[in-house]
Amino acid sequence: MNKMRIGFIITILGLLFFSYGCKNEETAPGKKKEDAPVAVQTSTVNSKEFQRVIGWVDDENVLLQLKKPGKITFETLNILTNKRKKIYETKNVISEVQISPDRDRFLVYSTSSKDKAVLDVISMAGTPLFTKSIKPQNIEFAWNHDNPDKMFMTTFDTDWNYQVFQWDIPSGSITKLDATSPFVSWYSDNLFVVNQKASAQNDRGDIFLEDIRDKSVKNLIVANVYQFAVSSNIFLTMEPGETEKSMVYNFRSIGFQSYYKYKAPRVYDELGTFFPFYDLNVEQESFLTFEPYESKKLNDHGGEFKLVKIDPKTKHNDTILELVNNEPILTSPSGKYCLYGYLFDRVVDLESGDMTYLIPHRDKIY
């Protein structure tokens, strides 16, 4: 009997000690409960209303374009929590929407009739900032990275003749620019770069630096390049490789000095060299692009590319996805995610390679 009592007492003391130890472990200073894993969620957006994702508002929120009865609405969507917020609506027909480089406003180019088009600049809070009425036409827009109050507008007619204009957004002033090429991009507040080609049939040209304030300033920067891209700290040129089977992504400083070259197989079609979709992340100074597995003529088959992330600072690259289609991509500010697809309706986690549909998706049945 004494042995049984002693055993019972030991058992009770042991349970009390275990409970006390667990409680102390839970409340011990310096120990934090790990956060639950965060993942991208498929939203509850009605797929019949969804038109497209415009782009990133910040690291977690994107801007949606939705079609409601008699109007178009713009909402922000949190890709992790599914929270949505309506910020703007219009009854006009939408032609183009662009988010500013600092992501605090967006441009809506729309038409209210066959004779009237409107340029509206809206804050991310939904407040109309500026509006400008123009004649409807085919326009490409290029926002100034250093000054969001400036924008290039390149217009094309039915014969693809072009004109380049500078739009001073606050004043509404639109000034024609004497540009020698439609391939123009801002380089700073007042400087811009132009890819000047000998003819429209040439797939290579020379890059010139010009000054919006002084027409006499025209300096040759790089010769014999296919295309270029500009960010606040990287000037990227796409150039011929050592053989016809290769091409080079040449990363340059803001002073145009080359500091890293990434070689990739060259893909081509009837018009010449074909460039897969890419995105130059300003904040992270990283480059995301689709890369073919070998040099060849482009065909209509899917899965011909791999998605590659390149860090020109560390000269390191990672393959994110294999055997995927070449479709538009847009990296989040932090570089953790990218939007993918012609409607940007998918999100790729660039760390894990996981891909999630933002909009409820049902595979086609054949």
Side-chain angles (χ1 to χ4, degrees):
M1 190 68 176
N2 289 339
K3 289 183 179 180
M4 291 178 63
R5 287 180 178 176
I6 292 171
F8 178 77
I9 292 172
I10 291 174
T11 301
I12 294 298
L13 289 174
L15 289 172
L16 289 173
F17 178 80
F18 179 78
S19 175
Y20 177 78
C22 289
K23 185 175 181 180
N24 278 354
E25 183 176 339
E26 290 177 0
T27 59
K31 289 189 176 182
K32 295 182 179 180
K33 186 178 180 180
E34 292 185 5
D35 294 330
V38 178
V40 178
Q41 304 293 318
T42 298
S43 72
T44 56
V45 173
N46 187 333
S47 59
K48 294 181 179 180
E49 295 180 345
F50 174 77
Q51 290 195 308
R52 59 174 169 164
V53 175
I54 304 300
W56 295 97
V57 177
D58 54 38
D59 284 324
E60 295 183 3
N61 290 277
V62 295
L63 182 65
L64 300 178
Q65 178 179 321
L66 305 175
K67 184 177 182 179
K68 302 294 182 70
K71 60 186 177 182
I72 300 295
T73 66
F74 295 92
E75 299 181 5
T76 56
L77 167 70
N78 189 299
I79 65 172
L80 303 179
T81 66
N82 266 331
K83 289 184 179 179
R84 292 160 58 186
K85 181 182 179 182
K86 177 182 171 183
I87 57 176
Y88 183 68
E89 67 178 38
T90 179
K91 294 182 179 180
N92 291 353
V93 177
I94 303 298
S95 295
E96 178 64 291
V97 183
Q98 277 197 16
I99 297 174
S100 64
D102 57 5
R103 292 181 292 277
D104 71 345
R105 61 182 77 177
F106 61 100
L107 166 73
V108 178
Y109 174 44
S110 62
T111 55
S112 56
S113 70
K114 65 177 183 178
D115 300 318
K116 183 181 179 181
V118 183
L119 299 168
D120 288 307
V121 178
I122 313 298
S123 76
M124 283 301 175
T127 304
L129 301 176
F130 309 100
T131 186
K132 177 76 174 177
S133 296
I134 61 171
K135 179 182 177 181
Q137 50 200 314
N138 185 7
I139 306 178
E140 290 185 357
F141 300 92
W143 223 308
N144 190 309
H145 283 264
D146 292 334
N147 186 346
D149 286 339
K150 293 181 179 181
M151 183 177 289
F152 280 144
M153 301 192 304
T154 304
T155 65
F156 297 90
D157 62 20
T158 54
D159 295 323
W160 290 102
N161 297 312
Y162 71 90
Q163 289 183 311
V164 181
F165 299 88
Q166 179 194 353
W167 177 26
D168 183 76
I169 298 175
S171 70
S173 173
I174 296 179
T175 307
K176 184 179 177 180
L177 184 69
D178 186 19
T180 54
S181 167
F183 310 108
V184 298
S185 181
W186 291 99
Y187 192 68
S188 66
D189 190 2
N190 293 297
L191 300 177
F192 63 97
V193 285
V194 178
N195 188 358
Q196 186 173 326
K197 300 181 180 182
S199 69
Q201 289 71 36
N202 286 19
D203 62 351
R204 304 180 193 179
D206 300 331
I207 307 296
F208 290 88
L209 178 69
E210 301 186 37
D211 194 321
I212 202 79
R213 302 159 299 183
D214 187 351
K215 295 181 180 179
S216 65
V217 175
K218 188 174 181 179
N219 299 316
L220 176 63
I221 303 303
V222 188
N224 196 36
V225 303
Y226 294 120
Q227 294 183 8
F228 70 92
V230 182
S231 78
S232 58
N233 41 31
I234 295 178
F235 184 73
L236 173 66
T237 53
M238 283 143 270
E239 306 172 7
E242 296 176 354
T243 69
E244 290 187 354
K245 292 186 175 182
S246 66
M247 55 84 60
V248 173
Y249 294 102
N250 195 342
F251 295 88
R252 302 170 180 271
S253 67
I254 56 174
F256 305 108
Q257 290 82 20
S258 173
Y259 63 94
Y260 179 57
K261 293 181 180 181
Y262 181 83
K263 298 179 181 179
R266 174 180 172 265
V267 180
Y268 52 92
D269 57 17
E270 288 76 9
L271 300 177
T273 302
F274 174 83
F275 293 94
F277 288 106
Y278 61 85
D279 180 58
L280 188 60
N281 186 299
V282 175
E283 288 89 347
Q284 299 300 312
E285 297 186 38
S286 65
F287 182 67
L288 195 67
T289 188
F290 291 96
E291 182 180 318
Y293 290 92
E294 61 180 352
S295 175
K296 63 178 182 177
K297 185 175 182 179
L298 187 70
N299 58 49
D300 296 329
H301 303 307
E304 295 184 80
F305 297 87
K306 56 183 176 180
L307 182 62
V308 178
K309 183 179 181 181
I310 302 167
D311 186 336
K313 294 179 295 184
T314 62
K315 299 177 174 55
H316 181 76
N317 64 85
D318 291 305
T319 297
I320 309 299
L321 296 174
E322 298 269 10
L323 300 172
V324 289
N325 295 336
N326 172 51
E327 297 183 20
I329 46 179
L330 186 63
T331 318
S332 64
S334 68
K336 179 174 173 56
Y337 304 107
C338 84
L339 296 171
Y340 174 48
Y342 287 101
L343 301 178
F344 283 153
D345 57 343
R346 285 160 283 174
V347 175
V348 177
D349 187 320
L350 296 178
E351 295 177 358
S352 66
D354 295 333
M355 182 161 56
T356 306
Y357 278 91
L358 278 181
I359 310 302
H361 175 78
R362 183 171 63 183
D363 292 332
K364 294 179 180 180
I365 300 176
Y366 295 93

